[in-house]
């Protein structure tokens, strides 16, 4: 069948690095940290707070790396403008979205959204630990709303990864473990 041929073609192509080790480690820290923070949100002791500081540190590293890291990790390289993103979204809606070696435009904006929401979560979480902001209802409410927003975005992110993996016959989950994707062909759109 055509799908099996496409899978064989993708598997036989050489691979190229698309994510550096720091991006991969930070991504895993986000996954583990968010899950651990959720499960410790009502736990006794300071577990939730310390996990939050760990996520905050990983977030700071990723944001900095988005400006000074290697080109594939830089926001200016993979976050495209609204016109390009809208064109991609229309093509995606018609089932004709091209493959991108790096992040596709919708995936890039999802990363921006996830990082922004995570920033709100860690800042309001930190604020709650200070004498100045402790007990303010708007701080607690903002933290809760941002957390639920994150939990709405995560399945959309995972769904996009699954959709792109199936559409382009490549395992994007695996690429977040080893940092490589099949090399570009004439049909690919490079970042």
């Amino acid at each position: 069948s055509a799908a099996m041929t496409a899978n064989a073609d993708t598997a036989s192509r050489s691979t190229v690095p698309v994510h550096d080790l720091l991006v991969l480690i930070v991504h895993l820290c986000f996954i583990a940290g968010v899950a651990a923070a959720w499960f410790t949100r009502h736990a006794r002791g300071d577990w939730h707070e310390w996990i939050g500081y760990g996520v905050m540190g990983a977030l700071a590293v990723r944001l900095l790396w988005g400006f000074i890291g290697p080109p594939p990790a830089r926001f200016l390289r993979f976050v495209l403008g609204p016109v390009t993103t809208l064109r991609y979204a229309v093509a995606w809606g018609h089932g004709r979205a091209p493959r991108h070696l790096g992040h596709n435009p919708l995936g890039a904006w999802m990363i921006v959204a996830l990082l922004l929401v995570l920033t709100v979560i860690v800042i309001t979480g930190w604020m709650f630990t200070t004498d100045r902001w402790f007990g303010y209802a708007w701080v607690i409410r903002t933290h809760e709303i941002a957390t639920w927003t994150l939990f709405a975005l995560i399945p959309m992110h995972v769904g996009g990864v699954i959709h792109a993996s199936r559409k382009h016959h490549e395992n994007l989950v695996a690429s977040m473990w080893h940092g490589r994707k099949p090399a570009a062909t004439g049909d690919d759109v490079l970042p």
Side-chain angles (χ1 to χ4, degrees), residues 156-167:
M156 292 170 61
H157 174 57
V158 172
V161 167
I162 292 168
H163 175 77
S165 291
R166 293 183 62 149
K167 169 79 173 139

Side-chain angles (χ1 to χ4, degrees), residues 49-64:
E49 183 178 333
W50 286 106
I51 291 166
Y53 288 135
V55 172
M56 182 184 281
L59 180 62
V61 166
R62 181 59 186 105
L63 292 176
L64 181 63

